[in-house]
């Protein structure tokens, strides 16, 4: 969770840096276009590598990234089962750094992405993928690893390609718009992408990506991105990405790899679920997580696939960096549960006064957030659904904003279309021991803190609704 806080401003620049948004697209002559289709084969391993840099007043951010895409089988419906691994590392370089510091930083940034000590993110997912680029949802797909970054959607027809097409991810509140353009060669085309997610607007991000698609091989080969940001880290950047290697594996290797990958994903999912059991007593949470760690280590010893062994080592290294924080946060949460909330007064951004005392007899949900928080914006669609779910019930949902400038908060409220009241709450975080964002607290009808959710998960809405409904069913 501390890592989420650390990179909340950086992610707005770099996590999306090869996704695309923000350019005016130019229509093409249909005679110059061919309908692109993926021509994957079971046994292929596609290796994409890229880098980006973003310059802002005071310094720069550097990112290196690698994706391994294994095509482990062809399904009866002519889709492919894909296993995807993504690793990345971020580096921040101050313009005031001396020559020795700059040299050391750049040298570390240039290290191999297989170095587990250098990695900031390690993701591992599987899904089924169609020749037109449709990606079937799976439980392993999360917030950061979106397959369209290296496997963009394709049009159904040439007419749709020229007119433009879109893909919608309701889970992430994200729409990707595409347009097909002729390439520089006879056997290629260009795909321009625009990210229409509210987060880009809120972050002041304008970003254009052009994907070169090899029509003969049926694969994307190059990605080129330009980006500028006008909020937070104001500046400009570029990114390049390419298909660096194309390997082939035997059917036996793919079968073994697929079976072992299923086991790894199942164990990792169990570990993630254990991490989300935030309100367990600290000793129980520690016991549950350590048991999951033992299961993962036991599985790692049994794995035959070198790639999966390396992957699990990388994931283990990533877990080490957050475990201590999880245990400390669990103690803080446990100390909060069952305690009476402070009786505060504050106003919304129109000056209307609100008091917690006036909410007695109702369940109260408090969502602490600020504009530059990537995870806060990602959580808001689910909080909106919570507010809508309890619209005519004795439940109050408050957004608790901590931005220094009212205009930043009002901008987010408007762009996200928030259907719940948002309050000025910068002075209220200490009373609830808020250390990570977003943090959602649930107070019962007497103002007693009964539940705490820190961070954003794909099941946040369901977890909050379940907690609120329990309080409504058995009021104190």
């Amino acid at each position: 969770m501390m890592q989420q806080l650390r990179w909340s401003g950086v992610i707005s620049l770099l996590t999306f840096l090869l996704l695309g948004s923000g350019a005016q697209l130019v229509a093409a002559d249909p005679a110059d276009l061919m309908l692109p289709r993926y021509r994957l084969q079971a046994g292929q391993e596609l290796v994409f590598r890229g880098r980006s840099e973003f310059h802002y007043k005071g310094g720069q951010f550097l990112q290196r990234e690698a994706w391994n895409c294994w095509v482990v089988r062809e399904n009866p419906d002519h889709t492919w089962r894909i296993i995807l691994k993504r690793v990345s590392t971020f580096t921040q370089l101050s313009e005031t750094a001396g020559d020795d510091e700059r040299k050391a930083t750049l040298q570390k940034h240039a290290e191999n992405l297989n170095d587990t000590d250098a990695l900031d993110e390690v993701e591992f997912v599987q899904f089924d993928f169609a020749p037109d680029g449709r990606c079937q949802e799976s439980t392993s797909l999360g917030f950061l690893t979106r397959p369209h970054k290296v496997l963009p959607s394709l049009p159904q027809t040439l007419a749709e390609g020229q007119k433009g097409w879109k893909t919608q991810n309701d889970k992430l509140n994200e729409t990707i718009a595409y347009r097909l353009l002729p390439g520089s060669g006879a056997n290629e085309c260009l795909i321009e992408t625009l990210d229409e997610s509210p987060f880009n607007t809120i972050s002041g991000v304008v970003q254009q990506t052009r994907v070169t698609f090899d029509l003969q091989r049926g694969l994307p080969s190059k990605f080129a991105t330009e980006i500028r940001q006008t909020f937070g880290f104001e500046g400009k950047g570029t990114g390049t990405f390419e298909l660096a290697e194309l390997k082939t594996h035997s059917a036996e290797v793919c079968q073994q790899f697929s079976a072992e990958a299923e086991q790894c994903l199942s164990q990792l999912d169990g570990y993630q679920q254990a991490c989300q059991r935030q309100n367990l007593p600290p000793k129980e949470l520690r016991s549950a997580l350590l048991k999951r760690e033992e299961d993962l280590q036991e599985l790692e010893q049994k794995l035959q696939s070198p790639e999966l062994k390396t992957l699990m080592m990388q994931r283990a290294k990533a877990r080490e960096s957050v475990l201590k924080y999880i245990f400390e946060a669990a103690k803080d949460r446990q100390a909060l549960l069952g305690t009476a909330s402070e009786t505060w007064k504050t106003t919304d951004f129109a000056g209307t006064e609100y008091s917690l005392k006036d909410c007695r007899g109702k369940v109260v949900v408090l969502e602490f957030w600020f504009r530059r928080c990537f995870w806060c914006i990602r959580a808001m669609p689910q909080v909106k659904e919570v507010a809508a779910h309890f619209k005519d019930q004795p439940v109050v949902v408050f957004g608790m904003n901590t931005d220094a400038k009212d205009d930043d908060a009002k901008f987010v409220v408007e762009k996200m279309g928030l259907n719940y009241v948002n309050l000025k709450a910068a002075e209220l975080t200490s009373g609830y021991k808020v250390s990570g964002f977003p943090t959602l607290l649930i107070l019962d009808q007497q103002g007693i803190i009964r539940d705490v959710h820190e961070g954003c998960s794909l099941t946040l809405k369901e977890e909050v609704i379940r907690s609120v409904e329990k309080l409504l069913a058995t009021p104190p």
Side-chain angles (χ1 to χ4, degrees), residues 115-133:
D115 180 2
T116 58
D117 291 326
L119 296 178
D120 291 296
E121 292 172 359
V122 181
E123 299 289 329
F124 178 45
V125 299
Q126 70 173 359
F127 53 91
D128 290 332
F129 188 72
D132 63 1

Side-chain angles (χ1 to χ4, degrees), residues 1 143 269 272-279 333 363 365 379 382-383 385-386 389-390 440-442 450-471:
M1 212 62 65
F143 284 105
D269 183 59
Q272 185 62 32
Q273 290 182 24
C275 288
Q276 292 174 2
R277 299 174 68 187
Q278 297 181 351
N279 289 332
R333 282 193 297 273
V363 177
V365 179
Q382 295 189 69
V383 180
E385 292 186 58
V386 170
H389 183 87
F390 293 110
L440 275 75
L441 299 102
I442 301 175
R450 296 299 183 186
D451 204 355
V452 181
H453 295 267
E454 188 175 275
C456 180
S457 72
L458 295 174
T459 59
L460 179 64
K461 177 189 74 173
E462 289 78 9
E463 294 166 13
V464 173
I465 287 176
R466 185 164 54 246
S467 181
V468 172
E469 288 182 338
K470 183 179 179 180
L471 292 173

Side-chain angles (χ1 to χ4, degrees), residues 265-427:
L265 285 166
S266 177
Q267 293 279 23
L268 291 169
D269 183 59
Y271 182 88
Q272 185 62 32
Q273 290 182 24
C275 288
Q276 292 174 2
R277 299 174 68 187
Q278 297 181 351
N279 289 332
L280 281 179
K283 288 185 178 180
E284 290 185 31
L285 179 60
R286 178 182 290 274
S287 177
L289 287 174
L290 292 180
K291 176 61 171 66
R292 290 294 184 179
E293 281 287 348
E294 291 175 2
D295 293 341
L296 287 168
Q297 291 172 8
E298 182 179 348
L299 174 61
E300 183 184 322
Q301 297 300 318
K302 296 178 180 179
L303 293 174
Q304 299 298 313
S305 301
E307 296 91 346
L308 288 174
K309 278 185 170 291
T310 300
L311 172 67
M312 296 301 281
M313 289 173 60
Q314 292 169 331
R315 289 299 299 262
K317 200 71 177 181
R319 291 194 302 273
E320 288 179 14
S321 65
V322 297
L323 270 180
K324 181 179 179 181
Y325 179 78
I326 288 177
F327 293 145
E328 291 177 350
K331 293 179 181 178
D332 291 340
R333 282 193 297 273
Q334 196 65 27
L336 273 177
L337 295 178
T339 63
S341 169
E342 296 180 358
T343 304
W344 44 257
K345 287 184 180 181
T346 187
T347 67
D348 65 12
F349 294 95
T352 303
E353 187 175 273
Y354 287 82
S355 170
L356 183 60
K357 185 178 180 180
D358 295 334
C359 299
R360 284 298 173 92
K362 299 179 180 179
V363 177
V364 179
V365 179
L366 306 177
E367 172 211 19
F368 284 88
W369 65 275
F370 62 98
R371 179 177 173 179
R372 285 174 60 180
C373 173
F374 167 84
W375 299 106
C376 299
I377 306 303
R378 283 300 187 204
M380 283 176 176
Q382 295 189 69
V383 180
K384 287 173 63 177
E385 292 186 58
V386 170
H389 183 87
F390 293 110
K391 181 179 179 181
D392 298 319
Q393 301 185 54
V395 178
V396 179
V397 178
F398 286 131
M400 309 294 282
N401 177 260
T402 63
D403 280 302
K405 297 180 180 179
D406 290 358
D407 286 346
D408 287 336
K410 290 189 284 188
F411 185 75
V412 175
V413 170
E414 175 189 352
K415 295 301 179 183
M416 294 300 294
L418 299 186
N419 58 347
Y420 49 94
V421 173
N422 280 265
L423 306 176
K424 299 180 181 182
E427 305 300 323

Side-chain angles (χ1 to χ4, degrees), residues 26-58:
V26 181
D29 185 342
D32 295 331
L33 299 173
M34 291 178 60
L35 187 64
R37 282 294 178 265
Y38 286 96
R39 309 182 195 282
L40 303 179
Q41 298 178 14
Q44 287 180 323
E45 179 187 352
L46 289 66
V47 183
F48 297 90
R49 296 193 184 97
R51 63 181 63 225
S52 60
E53 58 181 55
F54 183 88
H55 297 264
Y56 63 95
K57 185 178 181 180

Side-chain angles (χ1 to χ4, degrees), residues 11 15 67 86 121 123 142-146 149 374-375:
I11 288 177
T15 297
W67 298 63
R86 168 183 172 266
E121 292 172 359
E123 299 289 329
F143 284 105
L144 297 180
T145 303
R146 269 109 64 211
K149 182 168 181 181
F374 167 84
W375 299 106

Side-chain angles (χ1 to χ4, degrees), residues 126-292:
Q126 70 173 359
F127 53 91
D128 290 332
F129 188 72
D132 63 1
R134 284 178 294 110
C135 175
Q136 298 181 13
E137 284 295 319
S138 77
T139 56
S140 66
L141 291 177
F143 284 105
L144 297 180
T145 303
R146 269 109 64 211
H148 71 265
K149 182 168 181 181
V150 291
L151 300 171
S153 170
L154 302 177
Q156 298 297 310
T157 64
L158 280 177
E160 182 182 75
Q162 185 187 30
K163 182 180 179 181
W165 69 102
K166 294 184 178 183
T167 59
Q168 177 69 38
N169 189 324
D170 294 329
K171 185 187 299 182
L172 302 181
N173 192 31
E174 182 176 80
T175 300
I176 306 296
Y178 299 86
R179 182 71 64 89
L180 187 64
L181 299 173
S184 58
N187 292 319
E188 68 179 36
C189 67
L190 294 177
I191 301 171
E192 288 196 343
T193 68
L194 296 96
D195 179 3
E196 298 182 347
S197 69
F199 183 76
N200 271 24
T201 301
I202 289 168
S203 301
V205 171
V206 176
Q207 182 176 290
Q208 176 183 358
T209 297
R210 284 197 172 191
V211 182
T212 302
F213 193 91
D214 189 321
L215 294 165
Q216 188 171 13
R217 301 170 78 190
L219 296 171
S221 58
K222 295 180 182 179
F223 303 74
T225 297
E226 295 182 357
I227 183 172
R228 59 184 172 85
Q229 181 161 332
T230 57
F231 176 77
F233 292 98
E234 300 180 21
K236 298 180 179 180
T238 58
T240 58
F241 210 60
E242 65 180 0
L243 177 61
E245 295 182 66
L246 182 56
K247 306 176 184 179
T248 302
H249 302 289
S250 68
E252 292 77 15
V253 169
C254 286
Q255 185 176 6
Q256 180 187 38
F257 184 78
S258 180
E260 292 189 344
E262 290 275 0
Q263 296 179 58
C264 292
L265 285 166
S266 177
Q267 293 279 23
L268 291 169
D269 183 59
Y271 182 88
Q272 185 62 32
Q273 290 182 24
C275 288
Q276 292 174 2
R277 299 174 68 187
Q278 297 181 351
N279 289 332
L280 281 179
K283 288 185 178 180
E284 290 185 31
L285 179 60
R286 178 182 290 274
S287 177
L289 287 174
L290 292 180
K291 176 61 171 66
R292 290 294 184 179

